[in-house]
Amino acid sequence: MQFITTEHYDQLSNKAAMIIAGQVSFKKNSVIGLATGSSPIGVYKSLVHLYKNDYIDFSEVSTLNLDEYLGIDPMDEQSYASFMRKNLFQNFNICTSNTHIPQSNPADVDAECIRYEQLIKHLGRIDLQLLGIGQNGHIGFNEPAAHFERETHVVELDQRTLQSNARYFESIDLMPKQAITVGIGTIMKARKIVLLASGHEKSEILDEAFFGPVTPAVPASILQFHPDVTVVADQAAMQVISRKGRL
Ligand code: GLP
């Protein structure tokens, strides 16, 4: 487990973008696991900048998104499909057919979980998985639970997640209460994991996840068992870890 601490969010974003760029220049047809939420927005901006300046080529890359809300139109501004189009794909040289996100409105939700899981297996091992972390320790939408769920599944969103993500919706009542997420097993099988954390509100959970007990009550804590995790965090997110002298 490696920690890279940056002063601000912009540096965090550039750092993580450079790690992804390095991966893709090393292996042109990399499979990259992508995340949503506010944390990776700066990374995507930096990647677009690198592409526009001819530093990177994603034409052979495949991407797999971690999760999607259920019961939302894919064209809705708040769907993760829209998020990815707006923040990365529309400004980038990636083939749309190589980008994958769980469907938000499938006719059969269980069949969609099976389809996505088979797709993951077909693409092979994820070379680099980008992650954020929820304030309750969720990764993807793997919420605190009694056990670690291995494969793609439907989740009921945790109250804390609803409260935290309600800022993107007109009201919490209009927010989807369920999502599809890849499982912890898929995340753990990635060759390399880069987890982003920015801001004071991530400080406690970052410490709990990486220096507390490994428990499904804090899903990100499983990452302590992964052989290649890089946490890229700004000073605000590192506050508790630094105060406790963990590193
Ligand atoms: C969402 C996503 C997660 C993300 C988390 C943190 O719920 N499903 O993948 O890591 O929120 O979001 P943020 O980066 O906005 O704090």
Side-chain angles (χ1 to χ4, degrees):
M1 196 159 67
Q2 188 199 0
F3 281 79
I4 298 176
T5 308
T6 65
E7 216 172 315
H8 301 298
Y9 177 71
D10 286 353
Q11 293 149 328
L12 170 161
S13 302
N14 290 336
K15 200 47 126 182
M18 291 308 280
I19 298 174
I20 297 172
Q23 167 63 40
V24 173
S25 55
F26 164 71
K27 185 181 171 199
K28 281 188 151 313
N29 63 347
S30 291
V31 179
I32 308 286
L34 297 178
T36 48
S38 54
S39 305
I41 291 178
V43 177
Y44 297 150
K45 214 166 146 191
S46 297
L47 285 176
V48 169
H49 178 77
L50 289 172
Y51 159 63
K52 289 196 168 156
N53 287 282
D54 275 342
Y55 286 114
I56 49 171
D57 174 15
F58 263 58
S59 58
E60 293 177 38
V61 168
S62 298
T63 64
L64 268 173
N65 265 78
L66 284 165
D67 48 17
E68 176 59 287
Y69 289 114
L70 267 178
I72 190 172
D73 189 289
M75 298 312 284
D76 187 297
E77 227 192 309
Q78 298 312 330
S79 75
Y80 284 163
S82 293
F83 174 99
M84 290 311 303
R85 268 194 305 274
K86 177 174 153 214
N87 289 295
L88 187 64
F89 299 154
Q90 70 182 10
N91 302 311
F92 212 46
N93 76 326
I94 191 157
C95 296
T96 311
S97 58
N98 290 343
T99 65
H100 307 283
I101 304 181
Q103 285 180 45
S104 56
N105 246 338
D108 180 337
V109 177
D110 294 333
E112 174 58 8
C113 291
I114 293 168
R115 181 196 71 85
Y116 206 67
E117 196 56 40
Q118 281 170 349
L119 174 73
I120 295 168
K121 292 199 171 102
H122 172 74
L123 285 174
R125 217 165 144 194
I126 293 172
D127 292 293
L128 186 154
Q129 176 66 60
L130 186 64
L131 291 178
I133 181 168
Q135 285 181 38
N136 60 1
H138 75 216
I139 43 177
F141 265 137
N142 289 279
E143 297 284 32
H147 63 278
F148 292 110
E149 196 87 44
R150 274 174 190 276
E151 300 200 328
T152 305
H153 59 285
V154 174
V155 281
E156 301 293 328
L157 297 177
D158 188 85
Q159 200 51 38
R160 272 189 85 180
T161 302
L162 291 172
Q163 274 158 6
S164 154
N165 290 6
R167 63 195 144 127
Y168 299 112
F169 294 83
E170 269 177 52
S171 81
I172 198 164
D173 299 332
L174 296 174
M175 203 188 148
K177 306 290 183 293
Q178 289 186 314
I180 292 190
T181 183
V182 305
I184 294 286
T186 298
I187 294 172
M188 287 298 281
K189 275 190 231 146
R191 285 179 217 278
K192 179 173 188 58
I193 291 178
V194 176
L195 183 139
L196 311 172
S198 171
H200 297 284
E201 57 286 1
K202 297 292 169 72
S203 191
E204 284 288 350
I205 196 64
L206 202 58
D207 178 56
E208 234 184 285
F210 288 97
F211 298 96
V214 174
T215 162
V218 181
S221 65
I222 192 85
L223 300 175
Q224 292 181 40
F225 292 149
H226 192 283
D228 189 353
V229 178
T230 302
V231 176
V232 190
D234 58 20
Q235 278 172 359
M238 289 296 283
Q239 210 180 35
V240 172
I241 290 177
S242 307
R243 195 180 66 226
K244 293 187 176 171
R246 304 287 203 191
L247 295 171

